[in-house]
Amino acid sequence: MQNALHVVNETGTLKKVLVHSPGIETASFTSDEFSSVFALRPTRTSFDYDKAIEEHRNLVKAFEDSGIEVVYLKDLVIETVEHDEQARRELTESFLSTCSVSGNELLGALRAYLEKATSATNLVNMMLAGMRYEDVLDLPTATSSLAQAVGMGFNPHGLMVNPMNTLFFARDPSVVVGNGVCCNHMYWNDRNHEATLHTVVFRHHPMFKDTPLWFEPESSFHIEGGDILNMDEKTVLVGMSQRTEAAAIDVLAASLLWNPQSTVDTVYVVEVEENGTRIHLDTYLNRIGPETFVVDRAIGENLHAYKIERGRKQGTCTVVSLDCDLDQLLALVADVPSVRTISCETPSFNRTVEGAAVETLVLSPNKLCVSANNAIMNRKLARAGFDLIEISLDELTSGFGGPSCLCMPLVRKLD
């Protein structure tokens, strides 16, 4: 289907987004397991499912009220594998390779367990919810197993595979660039089986037939969607962070610059320091208008930026270090004489930033979806002339991001 994906900027009218609503994967564990299952939520000791669902419904309603088509990842995965046996086999094998289970005995048992799924819906639910040893293994008794007899056997109730409880961060595992998509290799290994769901959809779902993949999760190097921002059809800005390593950017740049299906001719790179809940480029800066950026100016301290273009030899790239300050870099990537920046430097700077003040999502020119938790920054945006839709996202994000990390734009108009 032509134009199933088309995103060449972050500021045009949003027409279609991919989301995942929290489900069984956020509730299929005991309170004692929270710290290990929700390892990426270190400041919390519980997850309020009902509150998270309400927040997500409000976010989706804001999209739909703005005329944006919303599609759900889980539905697409089920549709993909329901009638495509090759897609089902690929999903199963990819899941097995990323689920942190190793060895013939355990992998063999897990493969057999997945193959018993009676439907595509059943298979996907099993993968989302995680699996316990008693689900997968026919556990022996103490009289028939030395391991059980000496107390070294598996805990029947223990989790063999963790649930995919961060899947609602829909932009991390994949991100659209132009008419193609980056299916990412995640920094945390537990999140790589999330990427397998995205990848099987973009490789096999009829909606995305023949879509080019600029990056694939089988890469040796890790990269995440929050570090990739579309500036225009020829320019991409990438954050080099703890979650996105330099070697991955090399792979992505070569793909974007040399693939004949890509229109990108320049990849800019800026170093991103992890600091609290600021972990991706989009938690430090976002473009919200042709000449306007919302920024956490901490990213401009000791700025290290680079420009990557095609090399002279086929498939190669040239990398040049840039000598510029933050405003000069933003003007360069935006291809404008100068930029207007709206900064989150306020008396409540730390509290504001911890609530992901710059993690905004453009719905259409001058219309932004923002986190309601950032009252100070939101007043600044309103005074700057932006129409705001404020959504409470406290339970969903726990400070790690805002509206843009909870959805993955599939189509934006050129305004």
Side-chain angles (χ1 to χ4, degrees):
M1 184 179 294
Q2 194 173 12
N3 295 328
L5 299 176
H6 188 73
V7 180
V8 296
N9 60 47
E10 308 292 338
T11 59
T13 298
L14 191 55
K15 303 299 292 182
K16 190 173 185 176
V17 295
L18 175 73
V19 302
H20 175 71
S21 179
I24 190 173
E25 71 280 356
T26 61
S28 56
F29 56 89
T30 67
S31 58
D32 292 341
E33 293 169 331
F34 182 86
S35 60
S36 59
V37 171
F38 267 101
L40 302 184
R41 188 172 287 234
T43 62
R44 301 291 180 95
T45 59
S46 63
F47 183 81
D48 188 332
Y49 175 78
D50 292 335
K51 183 179 179 182
I53 282 291
E54 180 182 4
E55 291 176 351
H56 199 271
R57 285 175 180 159
N58 290 338
L59 181 65
V60 168
K61 185 177 186 301
F63 293 157
E64 293 176 338
D65 288 348
S66 298
I68 300 166
E69 181 183 356
V70 178
V71 295
Y72 288 84
L73 175 66
K74 182 178 176 181
D75 293 343
L76 293 180
V77 177
I78 292 171
E79 290 168 8
T80 300
V81 302
E82 195 163 25
H83 304 295
D84 187 333
E85 191 58 34
Q86 179 184 348
R88 180 169 178 151
R89 287 195 302 269
E90 183 178 308
L91 177 62
T92 299
E93 292 305 317
S94 296
F95 181 85
L96 290 170
S97 69
T98 58
C99 67
S100 301
V101 174
S102 61
N104 293 336
E105 295 84 0
L106 295 183
L107 279 176
L110 187 53
R111 177 179 283 105
Y113 178 71
L114 293 173
E115 289 174 350
K116 291 178 182 177
T118 56
S119 66
T121 300
N122 182 223
L123 176 65
V124 173
N125 282 335
M126 288 161 59
M127 291 180 171
L128 293 179
M131 297 132 194
R132 298 184 182 276
Y133 285 100
E134 62 186 353
D135 298 328
V136 178
L137 300 176
D138 184 13
L139 293 170
T141 64
T143 60
S144 61
S145 164
L146 177 63
Q148 293 293 115
V150 299
M152 298 179 67
F154 295 113
N155 173 8
H157 309 302
L159 281 163
M160 184 179 190
V161 180
N162 279 349
M164 299 189 201
N165 55 47
T166 50
L167 191 60
F168 53 78
F169 287 110
R171 188 180 168 118
D172 289 345
S174 67
V175 62
V176 174
V177 176
N179 293 325
V181 63
C182 302
C183 291
N184 301 324
H185 178 177
M186 308 295 285
Y187 175 74
W188 294 105
N189 187 62
D190 261 6
R191 297 202 66 192
N192 275 316
H193 50 277
E194 296 177 24
T196 67
L197 300 182
H198 286 244
T199 304
V200 76
V201 167
F202 289 113
R203 281 180 174 160
H204 295 284
H205 194 284
M207 186 188 302
F208 307 109
K209 183 176 173 58
D210 301 323
T211 292
L213 268 61
W214 311 129
F215 197 93
E216 300 185 77
E218 294 84 5
S219 174
S220 301
F221 314 112
H222 52 81
I223 190 169
E224 295 191 359
D227 282 317
I228 302 173
L229 300 179
N230 293 279
M231 293 295 109
D232 57 43
E233 66 274 8
K234 295 184 176 182
T235 310
V236 175
L237 177 62
V238 183
M240 181 169 60
S241 68
Q242 182 192 53
R243 307 298 177 92
T244 296
E245 59 186 319
I249 300 175
D250 284 334
V251 173
L252 174 61
S255 177
L256 289 173
L257 295 174
W258 286 102
N259 191 311
Q261 294 177 280
S262 169
T263 62
V264 174
D265 61 21
T266 309
V267 175
Y268 289 97
V269 180
V270 61
E271 287 190 14
V272 176
E273 178 184 356
E274 181 178 11
N275 189 342
T277 60
R278 291 169 285 177
I279 56 177
H280 291 134
L281 176 62
D282 67 357
T283 62
Y284 278 95
L285 67 88
N286 278 286
R287 190 178 186 182
I288 57 174
E291 300 169 347
T292 306
F293 287 80
V294 58
V295 300
D296 170 0
R297 300 200 69 87
I299 196 173
E301 299 172 3
N302 301 313
L303 185 74
H304 296 284
Y306 307 87
K307 181 180 182 180
I308 306 177
E309 296 178 295
R310 295 184 191 93
R312 292 185 178 181
K313 185 179 178 181
Q314 177 73 26
T316 66
C317 300
T318 61
V319 181
V320 177
S321 178
L322 300 176
D323 183 14
C324 59
D325 61 24
L326 179 60
D327 285 16
Q328 291 170 332
L329 174 65
L330 296 180
L332 192 62
V333 301
D335 193 25
V336 294
S338 61
V339 294
R340 174 177 66 157
T341 59
I342 301 174
S343 170
C344 56
E345 292 175 325
T346 71
S348 301
F349 174 78
N350 289 332
R351 179 173 61 82
T352 304
V353 170
E354 289 300 307
V358 304
E359 239 268 21
T360 58
L361 178 69
V362 176
L363 302 183
S364 60
N366 291 319
K367 184 178 182 180
L368 307 178
C369 185
V370 298
S371 172
N373 310 80
N374 294 303
I376 296 174
M377 191 63 190
N378 292 345
R379 283 197 294 271
K380 281 192 169 188
L381 291 168
R383 286 198 297 268
F386 288 92
D387 179 19
L388 304 184
I389 296 179
E390 301 183 41
I391 307 292
S392 177
L393 301 171
D394 178 64
E395 192 62 33
L396 280 172
T397 66
S398 188
F400 285 88
S404 68
C405 65
L406 296 171
C407 73
M408 204 265 278
L410 298 176
V411 178
R412 276 193 189 273
K413 280 181 58 180
L414 278 173
D415 290 298

